[in-house]
Amino acid sequence: MSRIVDEFTKGLWKEIPPFRFVLGLCPVLAVTSSVSSALGLGCGVIFVLMVSNTLVSTFRHHIPSKIRVPVFIVIIASAVTIVELMMEAYFYSLYEVLGIWIPLIVVNCLILGRAEAFARKEAVHLAVADGLGMGIGFTTSLVVLASIREVIGAGTWFGLQVMPKAYLGFELFQRPPGAFICLGLMLAVINFISLKTEKKGAAC
Amino acid sequence: MTAREIVRMVLVLTIVTGIWGGLLSLVKIATEDQIQYQRITNIKAPALKRALTVEYDNDPIKDRKTIVIGTDSKGKPIERAVFPAKQKGKIVAVGFEAYGGGYEGDIGVMLTILVEEDTLGSIAITTHTETPGVGTIAFQNDTFMNQFKNRSLNTNLSPGGGNVDAVTGATYTSDGVAKAVQQGIEIYKKHKEDIL
């Protein structure tokens, strides 16, 4: 039981995907100009990650290792296509905003990385916990990054005005360079915090 | 690598792709109507509104009907939705989509035809995959878009016909729009009875 909890929580801080692995950065930088699109992409990634981790782990003894990558990609690409169709059918405005980034979830290294590094070796319940933890960690990072960029860049959060009306917005943060700056600062802060906590207590 | 291994690999890949292919087509069938509905309300309806230059008192989206405009290479009928705009129960204009090849795939154009005058009404772009900021300048160019307004159906509007001025720097896109409009006019002439 504690193993499940461990695998789940490691994705939330200890191995939080975009900051610890620095994987799948392209969509991270691209969709975080608004909180709603970040959340939308994050939910898509959680779903795909769960499907791919569950299936890869369930059939891990039946997939010959020589063709494992094509099999993983087929599973991931199909799950992404389901997300794309569902989003177009039921969340059209989100589908329009995310556009090309939905099909590009297929090549998000995070998902293939989890299938390759974790799910193909571990039992199903652990793989599910890992997928859920990593997915939530990824989504949380996206939402935090998007919150900073949207509040500073446009003065809104989730489309609601949070800054005083007179605030004109800081355009740089809405643009790709702002995404890099923001991501760099967040990386620095997270490394600083873990450095401090590691020094204080016994290293985890 | 033994023959057994090869057979196993082929088998596994075939099964995986087969199962997923089947599942995907099920999802596609299940979401098809909803996607169609979303496309009509989010892309076609706004375009139709922009392209309808006459007064009307019905809901053209609700009153739409589907006509068959020919068959594709497999012999399947090609269907097209037609949106009639009515004033006091009489059709004053019809809107429908036509497609023309631009620089990067087909450009969808919603065009309206004024029934009484027997001329074009106006046009609006629905779908396209042109290069943003390059090809798309044609869509934002009012002089270009407005030159289709109220043109006679007997004018040759296809590119090279001498009756349409293309936008500099977006020639392929302009040609694609012109092609789509000309194709639309031909569809209207050929299927006038079905449309009205």
Side-chain angles (χ1 to χ4, degrees):
Chain A
M1 190 61 210
S2 66
R3 183 84 208 276
I4 299 181
V5 178
D6 276 354
E7 299 299 352
F8 174 71
T9 50
K10 74 166 193 271
L12 302 181
W13 176 256
K14 222 169 81 194
E15 293 181 13
I16 189 162
F19 300 116
R20 301 293 191 204
F21 298 144
V22 203
L23 277 184
L25 278 195
C26 206
V28 169
L29 297 173
V31 302
T32 50
S33 55
S34 79
V35 177
S36 55
S37 60
L39 193 64
L41 190 91
C43 292
V45 168
I46 292 181
F47 174 79
V48 175
L49 205 49
M50 293 290 285
V51 170
S52 95
N53 262 15
T54 312
L55 289 177
V56 167
S57 170
T58 310
F59 299 106
R60 66 187 185 281
H61 300 304
H62 306 283
I63 302 171
S65 73
K66 274 182 189 136
I67 53 159
R68 63 176 193 278
V69 173
V71 173
F72 295 167
I73 287 291
V74 168
I75 293 172
I76 296 168
S78 310
V80 169
T81 312
I82 292 176
V83 169
E84 194 183 2
L85 286 171
M86 288 291 181
M87 228 178 232
E88 188 173 2
Y90 299 103
F91 303 98
Y92 196 85
S93 51
L94 199 59
Y95 172 81
E96 263 190 331
V97 176
L98 290 178
I100 187 71
W101 298 106
I102 309 170
L104 280 181
I105 296 175
V106 177
V107 289
N108 192 321
C109 318
L110 173 66
I111 295 161
L112 190 62
R114 289 332 284 169
E116 173 77 24
F118 193 88
R120 81 184 171 97
K121 297 173 195 152
E122 304 284 347
V124 179
H125 60 286
L126 295 177
V128 170
D130 175 77
L132 196 62
M134 286 288 167
I136 292 174
F138 183 77
T139 309
T140 318
S141 326
L142 281 189
V143 169
V144 172
L145 187 57
S147 302
I148 298 173
R149 288 184 63 193
E150 201 184 331
V151 169
I152 297 178
T156 58
W157 191 76
F158 238 104
L160 298 166
Q161 193 77 31
V162 286
M163 294 294 232
K165 272 263 155 61
Y167 185 73
L168 288 175
F170 188 16
E171 185 71 18
L172 175 71
F173 273 79
Q174 289 279 287
R175 302 263 164 224
F180 277 107
I181 295 172
C182 229
L183 187 83
L185 290 176
M186 279 179 77
L187 261 173
V189 168
I190 283 181
N191 281 342
F192 183 72
I193 294 173
S194 27
L195 215 66
K196 282 265 158 168
T197 49
E198 262 170 45
K199 261 186 194 162
K200 247 187 232 161
C204 38
Chain B
M1 208 190 296
T2 62
R4 221 185 110 102
E5 250 179 277
I6 296 174
V7 170
R8 183 154 172 252
M9 287 197 282
V10 171
L11 210 67
V12 168
L13 256 186
T14 314
I15 293 172
V16 169
T17 45
I19 291 176
W20 273 111
L23 200 70
L24 279 185
S25 57
L26 284 183
V27 175
K28 172 95 183 154
I29 292 166
T31 52
E32 202 161 26
D33 288 345
Q34 183 67 21
I35 288 177
Q36 208 61 30
Y37 166 79
Q38 293 279 21
R39 283 193 184 150
I40 285 178
T41 49
N42 287 298
I43 301 173
K44 292 186 184 165
L48 184 67
K49 225 174 187 177
R50 271 180 284 137
L52 274 175
T53 48
V54 287
E55 301 252 322
Y56 56 96
D57 54 12
N58 69 323
D59 182 356
I61 299 291
K62 225 183 198 167
D63 293 342
R64 70 176 185 270
K65 60 179 180 180
T66 313
I67 60 158
V68 177
I69 57 161
T71 51
D72 64 10
S73 52
K74 282 182 195 149
K76 270 196 199 155
I78 303 172
E79 291 180 337
R80 207 49 72 79
V82 177
F83 307 97
K86 295 176 186 171
Q87 177 80 293
K88 297 192 185 101
K90 202 171 147 257
I91 298 181
V92 286
V94 287
F96 56 91
E97 251 184 310
Y99 303 91
Y103 186 71
E104 189 94 42
D106 275 353
I107 301 171
V109 176
M110 177 70 75
L111 63 153
T112 55
I113 283 172
L114 308 178
V115 177
E116 192 92 318
E117 294 86 343
D118 209 34
T119 63
L120 267 176
S122 182
I123 64 163
I125 307 298
T126 50
T127 51
H128 72 87
T129 45
E130 300 303 292
T131 320
V134 183
T136 52
I137 58 167
F139 307 148
Q140 288 143 12
N141 189 319
D142 287 337
T143 327
F144 173 72
M145 295 296 278
N146 285 339
Q147 65 184 326
F148 294 100
K149 266 190 185 160
N150 305 325
R151 289 296 273 269
S152 153
L153 295 188
N154 296 318
T155 319
N156 178 14
L157 293 175
S158 51
N163 293 313
V164 177
D165 291 328
V167 177
T168 310
T171 322
Y172 281 97
T173 309
S174 311
D175 284 359
V177 174
K179 261 183 261 172
V181 175
Q182 185 62 32
Q183 193 218 38
I185 292 174
E186 268 145 35
I187 292 174
Y188 178 75
K189 280 182 181 164
K190 209 166 154 194
H191 302 276
K192 201 170 172 180
E193 269 137 49
D194 295 338
I195 290 172
L196 296 180

